[in-house]
Amino acid sequence: MRAVVYEGPNKLSIEERETPTPKQGEALVKVTANGICGSDIHGYTGETGRRVPGMIMGHEFVGTIADIGPDTEYPEGWHDQSQYAVNPVMSDGICDFCKAGLNHHCRNRLIFGVSPSVVGAFSDYVIAPIQNLISIGDKVDPEWGALVEPMSVGYHAAKRAGIGPGEPLLVIGAGPIGTAVVLAARRLGTGPVIVSEPNPERRDRIAALDVTAIDPINDDLPARVKDLCGDLGAQFVIDAVGSSRTLADSLSLCSPRGTMVLLGMHEPTLSFDSYALSVAERHLVGSFCYTAEEFKETAEWVATAPRELEGFISTRVGYGQISERFALQGKGEDLSLKVVFTPHSDN
């Protein structure tokens, strides 16, 4: 099989690898589509150090079952063309975290394309535990299955914030994850939703989702937030960027005793005004990925073909363009909402 191999900062190669054989409890998944995540780009450039040379990245994927291991049953409803979103978080199922339903904190957690020892989905095939496969049915474009993972990230962050129906939310950043947060807010009945985004293209795109999009550079963001949320500011803020600057904005715009969720990972180390957190008794909450149940719930939502996902996938690339696309995104020259890699296409 072919695979995209990370060689080091700003360098990828296409290699031939042996197609793996599934063991008991495993499936050989033929990758239909895999989304390029911001964390992949930051790893590719070497900014975060979260990717190591020689590994195969990719964790936002969907595919069909090409084979299963011995003494392993196919999932219910399986047929040759069944499409499955794959939860990339593998857990042992026996530690205290797993027993508590917090498998994403498993002490022995492995993540496709993030853990160096696990082959990711920038490849023709991957081996996955059969229980990590969630059907997306037959009502949607199969590629939409690659959106389940980022949508689950946004859904988990919104739930971590503890937002209730009808409560206002401020989102910092309108990239793929910020957009996923907005769509999660819709699922939870949250509103109104305000989004701060400096890029005009992304701002226009998010505004089409019936939210208030504000330019934090050329507009008076604090004044606009007060107009929309009241003098105290926003009770709930989700930072989908994760830089020292956006964290400072989030804290300043969050109301006293409000909740600010740090979701984005643009910078590995952040600095902020600790007084802004402690004096106003604000809550600073971290958000990482999602539980297995949240991934399943999101896959079931995607399977209903929600119209908000139309156009979310803006670009498709195969092996021929993958290196160029990574380079463009690494330089900040490609602001596509979501680029998906389609390994079995002619691109």
Side-chain angles (χ1 to χ4, degrees), residues 9-334:
N10 303 304
K11 186 177 180 181
L12 300 174
S13 65
I14 312 300
E15 295 184 6
E16 287 289 337
R17 295 283 182 94
E18 183 176 352
T19 301
T21 300
K23 300 176 182 177
Q24 183 176 5
E26 296 178 336
L28 176 66
V29 178
K30 181 179 180 181
V31 178
T32 301
N34 175 71
I36 298 179
C37 177
S39 66
D40 293 324
I41 299 300
H42 297 149
Y44 162 79
T45 61
E47 293 174 60
T48 61
R50 298 183 67 217
R51 304 292 187 270
V52 300
M55 70 180 294
I56 299 169
M57 300 186 289
H59 59 276
E60 301 179 356
F61 66 109
V62 59
T64 58
I65 298 177
D67 193 10
I68 61 172
D71 301 318
T72 302
E73 294 184 5
Y74 282 97
E76 184 178 352
W78 174 87
H79 57 80
D80 287 347
Q81 299 303 314
S82 296
Q83 296 284 338
Y84 293 91
V86 182
N87 184 341
V89 181
M90 294 181 285
S91 53
D92 61 24
I94 59 174
C95 72
D96 290 343
F97 287 114
C98 289
K99 290 177 181 177
L102 302 174
N103 63 295
H104 60 309
H105 292 307
C106 175
R107 300 183 189 280
N108 297 305
R109 177 188 70 216
L110 294 171
I111 303 177
F112 285 99
V114 177
S115 303
S117 62
V118 183
V119 172
F122 286 115
S123 58
D124 290 336
Y125 297 91
V126 296
I127 294 289
I130 200 78
Q131 69 265 21
N132 284 51
L133 275 61
I134 309 294
S135 172
I136 60 166
D138 56 7
K139 295 181 180 179
V140 299
D141 184 327
E143 292 178 356
W144 282 23
L147 301 178
V148 173
E149 199 280 340
M151 291 298 129
S152 298
V153 171
Y155 183 51
H156 179 72
K159 293 185 71 176
R160 287 283 290 152
I163 314 169
E167 294 180 314
L169 167 68
L170 171 62
V171 180
I172 307 294
I177 295 301
T179 303
V181 170
V182 169
L183 296 181
R186 279 195 170 186
R187 292 168 63 188
L188 296 170
T190 299
V193 177
I194 308 158
V195 181
S196 170
E197 171 56 54
N199 180 268
E201 182 180 342
R202 286 183 168 180
R203 197 166 56 248
D204 290 345
R205 192 161 52 202
I206 202 76
L209 294 176
D210 194 27
V211 303
T212 299
I214 301 173
D215 180 354
I217 297 175
N218 298 308
D219 204 347
D220 189 340
L221 182 59
R224 293 292 306 279
V225 170
K226 284 186 177 181
D227 287 342
L228 295 164
C229 298
D231 288 341
L232 294 179
Q235 185 178 357
F236 299 97
V237 183
I238 297 180
D239 182 353
V241 179
S243 68
S244 293
R245 179 173 178 175
T246 57
L247 177 58
D249 287 345
S250 299
L251 287 170
S252 68
L253 297 168
C254 185
S255 66
R257 294 202 171 190
T259 299
M260 204 291 290
V261 177
L262 179 59
L263 172 61
M265 296 182 175
H266 183 69
E267 297 173 4
T269 302
L270 304 179
S271 60
F272 65 95
D273 180 0
S274 61
Y275 286 4
L277 182 68
S278 58
V279 172
E281 297 185 336
R282 296 180 173 102
H283 303 271
L284 179 58
V285 178
S287 185
F288 175 47
C289 54
Y290 36 77
T291 67
E293 184 60 27
E294 288 165 343
F295 188 93
K296 181 175 182 292
E297 290 172 358
T298 302
E300 291 171 347
W301 172 70
V302 170
T304 66
R307 64 177 181 81
E308 296 93 337
L309 292 182
E310 294 176 3
F312 198 97
I313 296 175
S314 49
T315 308
R316 295 162 178 80
V317 298
Y319 284 103
Q321 297 104 13
I322 188 69
S323 292
E324 178 185 4
R325 187 60 57 170
F326 261 83
L328 288 172
Q329 293 205 339
K331 296 174 184 176
E333 296 176 0
D334 177 13

